[in-house]
Amino acid sequence: MADTKKRIIESAIKIFNEDLSAPLQKVADNAEVTRRTLHRYFKDRNELVEVCKQAIESSCKKAMIAAIQSSDEPIIQLERMLYAGIDCGAKYSVFYKLHQSKDHKHTHQNKNCVDYDYIYNQFQGIIIELQKKGRVSPAMSPEWIQVLHSGIIESTVHARETTTKSFKEIKELAWTSYIKAIAT
Amino acid sequence: MADTKKRIIESAIKIFNEDLSAPLQKVADNAEVTRRTLHRYFKDRNELVEVCKQAIESSCKKAMIAAIQSSDEPIIQLERMLYAGIDCGAKYSVFYKLHQSKDHKHTHQNKNCVDYDYIYNQFQGIIIELQKKGRVSPAMSPEWIQVLHSGIIESTVHARETTTKSFKEIKELAWTSYIKAIAT
DNA sequence: ATTAAATGTCACACATTTGAGAAATATTTA
DNA sequence: TAAATATTTCTCAAATGTGTGACATTTAAT
């Protein structure tokens, strides 16, 4: 089944996110599959990690682009990008770090990077426009807002795991905090 | 030298923070020591991890308590707690997660937990007082502010690694964003 | 310069993880 | 039901990681 492959990838993302060197057995267990089966779908650990990265990037990108295109009001776009980020968030962290650091060479040959740049530029554009409109403080650089954005997402994901509040409530708190933080 | 031990711990914290199951060889390499030497200081992997946890907790706690005691103005206390958190931040993440989840039993027998509770309560107290004074929005629960606090810290640490701004600038941006986010 | 302590080198036994073959079993599809 | 496909089970060899002993080398202190 193509379903098995997907399940393995999902499991791998979950497990590796907690422990990048976790034994493949754990991934297999989580996917309720034999390690042998896992190896039929993925040549080796590297390949699996690589596929996870791509899966995440691709699904996050889609969500982000959808958020951007869902409106032409920058403030709405920003809000939806935050929510999209939160929804991807649980999967995000470790692989996100991999993208930043390590061996990753950011190049325009790389399709993923092109999309990444597209989203990054859109984000910057949204912020700059909101600054022009006087809704976002000019003291906050787009770069800072970018990392703040990620930080709020991480907080939200974390809050979801630890507090008793509903996911919806937390998301609203996140957006309120975020927009107030960067407002004029 | 006692210096070696410290270097190994610092390296372990750095490496394990990226990959909790990383081979000890990596830690040794990073500390510029042989694996053999590492084993002279630490019986086994477990012991090393345990020592790392304690080292972090202890140094963070000290910084936090110092921040709290450095003033009796809650707003100043909060600001200094944020800065203290940022300074600990780089070491924080993985071990922080370990504290929350896994096998950790939160108990009052445990000295660390007592201190943790103390800090947590102080933090809550500060927030509640600021809410009474009308400086912090009552819509924001102390629990949310707690995770937001961590999120801002993570952002700041992250920003430091990626942007060109000075650390001081980033810290100020962090505090400004934070206080605006939770303000009335 | 001599000693003591710290670190490195090499070698080893042992455990875990990895990747794959072969045959049995289960599941899907026609 | 029969054939095709996917998965499991069992097995094994290779690779990697772990902890330690014996001895050589470096470093610091007297």
Side-chain angles (χ1 to χ4, degrees), chain B:
Chain B
M1 305 179 184
D3 183 50
T4 306
K5 189 166 187 179
K6 211 183 294 178
R7 233 169 48 237
I8 295 175
I9 297 176
E10 291 306 310
S11 300
I13 289 173
K14 181 166 176 291
I15 299 289
F16 289 157
N17 208 33
E18 288 163 5
D19 179 358
L20 194 58
S21 303
L24 296 179
Q25 185 67 60
K26 278 199 187 178
V27 177
D29 287 350
N30 189 278
E32 293 178 299
V33 178
T34 333
R35 196 165 57 82
R36 191 65 188 80
T37 301
L38 186 152
H39 278 296
R40 287 223 178 76
Y41 285 96
F42 305 96
K43 189 176 131 283
D44 58 19
R45 182 189 204 83
N46 261 1
E47 188 174 312
L48 181 54
V49 171
E50 214 48 45
V51 171
C52 287
K53 259 201 287 196
Q54 278 167 21
I56 291 175
E57 281 179 6
S58 145
S59 89
C60 286
K61 264 174 345 200
K62 261 187 217 151
M64 287 300 167
I65 289 173
I68 293 171
Q69 294 176 341
S70 73
S71 166
D72 49 6
E73 269 296 313
I75 193 89
I76 302 290
Q77 289 175 318
L78 188 63
E79 181 173 5
R80 299 217 171 122
M81 280 184 90
L82 183 73
Y83 294 148
I86 290 169
D87 292 332
C88 297
K91 307 172 177 179
Y92 226 41
S93 57
V94 162
F95 292 91
Y96 181 70
K97 282 176 201 156
L98 278 188
H99 183 92
Q100 306 285 92
S101 58
K102 290 263 166 145
D103 41 20
H104 176 76
K105 293 181 206 88
H106 194 79
T107 159
H108 289 278
Q109 315 304 82
N110 184 332
K111 169 83 166 57
N112 277 330
C113 293
V114 175
D115 288 347
Y116 181 83
D117 286 346
Y118 170 75
I119 293 168
Y120 186 71
N121 289 333
Q122 290 289 314
F123 182 84
Q124 301 264 36
I126 291 170
I127 298 303
I128 290 168
E129 191 162 333
L130 286 171
Q131 285 176 329
K132 272 193 203 139
K133 287 190 178 174
R135 302 215 37 185
V136 163
S137 159
M140 303 263 163
S141 70
E143 290 78 25
W144 165 253
I145 294 178
Q146 172 89 49
V147 295
L148 183 65
H149 189 97
S150 310
I152 301 266
I153 288 172
E154 281 209 56
S155 297
T156 312
V157 172
H158 194 214
R160 188 192 187 183
E161 286 161 6
T162 55
T163 76
T164 57
K165 290 196 177 47
S166 80
F167 196 28
K168 190 159 164 290
E169 271 180 288
I170 303 173
K171 275 173 148 179
E172 283 165 5
L173 271 175
W175 170 243
T176 310
S177 308
Y178 181 36
I179 193 65
K180 277 170 65 188
I182 63 176
T184 335

Side-chain angles (χ1 to χ4, degrees), chain A:
Chain A
M1 304 179 183
D3 183 51
T4 306
K5 189 165 186 178
K6 212 183 293 177
R7 235 170 44 236
I8 295 175
I9 296 175
E10 290 306 311
S11 300
I13 289 173
K14 180 165 176 290
I15 299 290
F16 290 158
N17 209 33
E18 288 163 4
D19 180 359
L20 194 57
S21 301
L24 297 180
Q25 185 67 60
K26 279 198 186 178
V27 177
D29 287 349
N30 189 278
E32 295 180 297
V33 182
T34 330
R35 197 165 57 82
R36 191 66 191 80
T37 302
L38 186 152
H39 277 295
R40 286 235 170 64
Y41 285 96
F42 305 97
K43 190 176 129 282
D44 58 19
R45 181 189 205 83
N46 259 2
E47 188 174 310
L48 180 55
V49 171
E50 214 49 45
V51 171
C52 287
K53 259 201 286 198
Q54 279 167 22
I56 291 175
E57 281 178 8
S58 147
S59 89
C60 285
K61 264 175 344 201
K62 262 187 215 151
M64 286 298 167
I65 290 172
I68 293 171
Q69 294 175 341
S70 73
S71 166
D72 49 6
E73 269 296 315
I75 193 87
I76 303 289
Q77 290 175 318
L78 189 63
E79 181 174 4
R80 299 215 172 125
M81 280 184 91
L82 183 73
Y83 292 150
I86 290 169
D87 291 333
C88 296
K91 306 174 177 178
Y92 226 40
S93 57
V94 162
F95 292 91
Y96 181 70
K97 283 176 201 156
L98 279 186
H99 182 94
Q100 307 285 93
S101 58
K102 290 266 165 136
D103 40 20
H104 176 76
K105 293 181 206 89
H106 194 79
T107 158
H108 288 278
Q109 314 306 81
N110 184 331
K111 168 82 165 62
N112 277 329
C113 292
V114 175
D115 288 346
Y116 181 83
D117 286 345
Y118 170 74
I119 292 169
Y120 186 70
N121 288 334
Q122 291 289 314
F123 182 85
Q124 302 263 38
I126 291 170
I127 298 302
I128 290 168
E129 192 162 333
L130 286 171
Q131 285 176 328
K132 271 193 203 139
K133 287 191 179 174
R135 303 216 34 187
V136 163
S137 159
M140 304 262 163
S141 70
E143 291 79 23
W144 165 252
I145 294 179
Q146 172 89 50
V147 295
L148 183 65
H149 189 98
S150 310
I152 300 268
I153 288 172
E154 281 208 56
S155 297
T156 312
V157 172
H158 194 215
R160 189 195 187 182
E161 286 160 7
T162 55
T163 77
T164 57
K165 289 195 178 47
S166 79
F167 196 27
K168 190 160 164 290
E169 271 180 289
I170 302 173
K171 275 173 149 179
E172 284 165 4
L173 270 174
W175 170 245
T176 311
S177 307
Y178 181 36
I179 193 64
K180 277 170 65 188
I182 63 177
T184 335

